[in-house]
Amino acid sequence: MLRRIALGDIQVETLKVLKYPLFVKYGNGMTIEIPINSIIPSEPEVIVVFSFGFPVGKPDRGAEQLFGYTDDEAIGHTMDMLIPPDRPNEEAEILARISRGERVDHFETVRRHKDGRLINISASISPIMDEQGKIVGASKICTDITMSKAAADEIKYLAFYDPLTGLANRRLMSDRMEQILSLARRTGELVAICMIDLDGFKQVNDQKGHEAGDQLLIEVAKRLQECIRESDTASRFGGDEFAIILGGFKENSECIQSINRIISSLAAPYMVVNEIARVTASIGATIFPNDSGNPDQLLRHADEAMYEAKHAGKNCYRLFNPSLMNQQEANNATFKKIENALAKGQFVLYYQPQVDCRLGKVTGVEALIRWKHPILGLLEPSEFIPLIEHHDLIITIGEWVVQNALKQLVKWQSLGIDLTISINISARQLHQIDFIDHLNVLLAGHDQNVIRRLEIEVTETSVLEDVNAIANAIHKCREMGVRIAIDDFGTGFSSLAHLKKIPFDILKIDKSFVLGMLRNPEDLVLVDSVIGLATSFNRKVIAEGVESIDHVLMLLELRCSLMQGYEIARPMPAEQIPSWIGKFAPNPLWKLVNSQRPSRDYFEMLLAEVNHRHWIEHLVNQLCESQESFNPDLLIDHRQCRFGRWYYGDGHRQFGAENWFLSMEPVHQRIHQTAARLCEHRRAGKLAEVKAEEAILLFQQDELDLLLRRLRSELAEKYLMDQITKPHGEPT
Amino acid sequence: MIGHELIVWNDELVTGVDKIDEQHRILVNSINDANARLSANSSAEILEQISRDLLSYALYHFETEEELMQEFNYAGSNADESEAHLRQHREFSSKVVAVRDGIKAGNLISREELLTFLNGWLINHILKTDKRLGAFIVAKSHAG
């Protein structure tokens, strides 16, 4: 191929090798008087000089070594033989630049050796000028960089690829992720970042050898690449840990589909070293932009989700939940706040009196923690203790409570106040192996008069977590002289066998049952049974949540005399306890229980009231669900309910002449009529009517309750008047 | 079972106070989470966790808001509004405590009731009460 190019004002056949090997080593003595001494080449560089018509110094064999052509083979031939066919214009373009007086430095390109192999060279080309400064030729310094190029490529490859599987490595993955994420930011598409860990890979490695393991990893890589699109990236992070980025989704469900495809592809059997091997994959994924962290965070989140997938039984995927993470961060901040509050002394103990209503005597107090929050005010334990119940902070706070309760006991002892203090110990603290040792340290230095006034309350559910261990701990507490109460009794599922094992002193009936017993006969039965249980085990029983005189009287009737609740006193700071005790006087109505008629009617009415609401509710549900034809008479007959039986029986005999008694009858009848209508509407599926009737029923029941309450208070007054007017000591 | 839509965070929910908005987003996520995880028959374990998260929310979030209210003297400028705002916070906490008491006693709140309560909170408190506070704080910060 012949090309003509203007070099200065001479037309030359540029691509013909004019002098070959007209190579000189500069430094070995320059023979051309042209100013190119700025270039000082060294081995293994060679200089090719293309000149036009005049001799250029001493020949050098370097070019022959480089390109393989001897002088004879080269001189007079075109340079095409050196130039690979894919770059036909390269040399001509370079010469054009040279002819404009430019230099070309370290131009990396490919040339062809005589034997056909391609060699990488780096060339620096300078113009050759005559004395007048006219460009008459070019000198080219070539360096063979084939080896260093290969080494550099190798290094580059190793820097970005996993040598075993050929997948991207972590570094390249991060780069690609940046690109894919920035694209997704523009398009608004979803990107799934997935971490994959093989389940059972170690066994393959251990049982079949490393070669099998390597083969398996290569096959996994192959399958991964088959599952993903070209624009996605699969990478191996090392060991049996892979990561993939999947982009271009519109919906979460599409991401999940892809992930499921990968899971099933990887779960198919493998053929390694002529044997069948099986592994599965656990995949953790996080989806951008729902999770909007940076690439490192996204990988970390995917990794966390991967561990969840492992935990969930392997061969499955789990999605990272960013809202869960935010929540956890918020929760951690809460721990910190509580920790600070403890350090700053923002916790105080309030004390709620416990009274024996039969004897009319204050017996003890329950210590209840309060958080004097600088912003939110006084917080009850139910607002913050649950947040730390699975955290060691609860133990620190528990020990703080023990210390302070003991201090308070010492103080009251010096004031001559004889009270027990019960404190709440969390399940976590109770289950500490060194719980007893810690308690011993806290108790050290206190005399028995103090220690025997300390009561530890443990919840029924925390006891049930490990009955034997707890029984042992409780036993040791009692040996030290500390008494044990089982708190929230009725909320767990203690069996009698359990109770027999636990050497408790006191059962505390959970307040939900006490509060519910006046409305719900089932709660009433439960309260009654717990009291019976305590009696048969010969233990004390305390009812919590006593909020009205009705609760007190009902409990007394059920033979539970120890009580705690708002009806008696709210929790108060320690300083107020002495004056509260000073002012305490038992409510005279508490004695009602010991009386005979007319006070029995009080309880009959109470029971009638408890049962009526429930009876109606129960019957309505039963009739609505029944397949049989509806008989409204069952509901309309107001004499058939428990209240009706009392009203037309005992009640009528006792109060039949009283106006207030008679005024209850129509209210009661209306309730039954409403219930019948409600039932009919429900069976007919008339939702709007059902809602309306339900509201009416509620109103009517409240009306009846109100009348009954008024009636009971009249009875109570009558009883109190009788007490005052009756001579002392006469049986009532 | 009433279908409750997932709540997508939107400009309407923004009060304009970054700290408050950030925490509201966490609540919105919790509500969505509750929506997704609760089936018609709520399990005690899930309810326990959701209600605990709500307690935590009440603690840190109300502290944030009430601290801002003090800082900007909301009560001084708008006594009734401030008082109502605090009352709503206390009611939220009491409700969550009641839900937890219920769980303990075996009376699990239904999915529908819990979601209705939380959505009601979003509509009545965040979209109204909090936005008024947000506007007040934004106006005050600009004036200052």
Side-chain angles (χ1 to χ4, degrees), chain A residues 321-324 326-327 330-331 333-334 337-338 371 373-377 379 382-390 488 491-492 510-513 523, chain B residues 25-27 29-30 33 37 48-49 51-60 62-67 70 89-90 93-94 97 100-101 104-105 107:
Chain A
N321 182 345
S323 62
L324 208 62
N326 289 335
Q327 185 66 55
N331 290 350
T334 315
K337 279 183 203 293
I338 294 177
W371 181 356
H373 194 288
I375 305 286
L376 300 173
L379 296 178
S382 53
E383 292 180 74
F384 61 91
I385 290 293
L387 301 175
I388 55 167
E389 66 193 357
H390 301 302
D488 298 347
T491 60
D510 189 64
K511 71 171 181 197
S512 62
F513 304 116
D523 285 345
Chain B
R25 288 181 88 122
I26 298 180
L27 178 75
N29 284 334
S30 297
D33 194 41
R37 291 173 63 204
E48 219 271 329
Q49 198 214 319
S51 64
R52 185 166 343 117
D53 288 346
L54 292 175
L55 270 190
S56 165
Y57 162 82
L59 202 61
Y60 66 76
F62 297 166
E63 181 185 314
T64 301
E65 282 192 5
E66 291 177 28
E67 203 165 16
Q70 287 182 9
H89 283 178
R90 301 297 165 266
S93 300
S94 310
V97 168
R100 292 185 60 84
D101 284 346
K104 198 176 74 182
N107 304 319

Side-chain angles (χ1 to χ4, degrees), chain A residues 283-518:
Chain A
I283 301 185
T286 189
I287 294 174
F288 176 91
N290 185 25
D291 181 0
S292 55
N294 63 36
D296 277 349
Q297 287 168 331
L298 292 172
L299 284 172
R300 208 168 50 242
H301 294 164
D303 205 43
E304 276 174 34
M306 189 270 289
Y307 278 102
E308 270 180 52
K310 285 260 180 213
H311 198 68
K314 302 171 181 174
N315 194 23
C316 64
Y317 75 90
R318 282 291 177 272
L319 281 186
F320 177 77
N321 182 345
S323 62
L324 208 62
M325 180 194 63
N326 289 335
Q327 185 66 55
Q328 270 163 3
E329 279 171 6
N331 290 350
N332 287 340
T334 315
F335 294 150
K336 266 265 158 315
K337 279 183 203 293
I338 294 177
E339 210 171 356
N340 285 337
L342 186 64
K344 286 185 183 160
Q346 290 173 359
F347 291 114
V348 287
L349 289 180
Y350 269 42
Y351 295 90
Q352 185 172 35
Q354 298 167 331
V355 167
D356 185 322
C357 293
R358 197 173 298 274
L359 302 176
K361 185 173 169 277
V362 186
T363 58
V365 290
E366 179 178 357
L368 296 158
I369 195 165
R370 293 284 185 274
W371 181 356
K372 281 195 167 163
H373 194 288
I375 305 286
L376 300 173
L378 201 63
L379 296 178
E380 303 222 350
S382 53
E383 292 180 74
F384 61 91
I385 290 293
L387 301 175
I388 55 167
E389 66 193 357
H390 301 302
H391 192 282
D392 279 346
L393 256 179
I394 192 97
I395 298 173
T396 319
I397 287 183
E399 292 183 350
W400 177 90
V401 171
V402 176
Q403 272 171 334
N404 282 272
L406 286 167
K407 259 189 238 167
Q408 195 58 56
L409 279 173
V410 172
K411 200 167 175 185
W412 281 339
Q413 202 181 19
S414 71
L415 295 173
I417 296 173
D418 176 21
L419 289 176
T420 59
I421 295 184
S422 59
I423 54 167
N424 294 278
I425 291 294
S426 67
R428 196 177 176 88
Q429 186 167 4
L430 192 64
H431 289 268
Q432 286 282 99
I433 293 173
D434 48 8
F435 166 65
I436 291 296
D437 296 341
H438 280 231
L439 188 63
N440 244 324
V441 171
L442 293 168
L443 293 178
H446 290 286
D447 67 45
Q448 267 305 313
N449 277 327
V450 168
I451 294 172
R452 74 181 169 81
R453 287 186 166 82
L454 187 70
E455 259 172 37
I456 286 180
E457 295 189 8
V458 296
T459 62
E460 183 190 8
T461 39
S462 72
V463 170
L464 293 179
E465 279 174 32
D466 184 349
V467 176
N468 290 327
I470 298 307
N472 193 27
I474 288 178
H475 198 75
K476 288 195 174 132
C477 284
R478 295 188 75 215
E479 276 176 4
M480 286 187 242
V482 177
R483 292 196 301 168
I484 300 291
I486 299 185
D487 201 6
D488 298 347
F489 195 79
T491 60
F493 298 92
S494 297
S495 69
L496 290 175
H498 288 148
L499 273 187
K500 208 178 81 184
K501 274 189 197 163
I502 310 285
F504 65 94
D505 299 278
I506 302 150
L507 282 188
K508 291 193 86 171
I509 311 170
D510 189 64
K511 71 171 181 197
S512 62
F513 304 116
V514 176
L515 286 173
M517 70 181 181
L518 297 183

Side-chain angles (χ1 to χ4, degrees), chain A residues 502-558:
Chain A
I502 310 285
F504 65 94
D505 299 278
I506 302 150
L507 282 188
K508 291 193 86 171
I509 311 170
D510 189 64
K511 71 171 181 197
S512 62
F513 304 116
V514 176
L515 286 173
M517 70 181 181
L518 297 183
R519 296 220 144 211
N520 185 344
E522 284 159 12
D523 285 345
L524 187 61
V525 168
L526 205 138
V527 170
D528 194 19
S529 326
V530 174
I531 295 165
L533 203 62
T535 313
S536 41
F537 275 92
N538 201 17
R539 302 285 191 265
K540 286 186 178 173
V541 59
I542 300 187
E544 290 187 295
V546 176
E547 294 192 353
S548 70
I549 180 69
D550 287 349
H551 289 111
V552 176
L553 296 177
M554 180 68 97
L555 286 163
L556 283 170
E557 174 70 9
L558 298 172

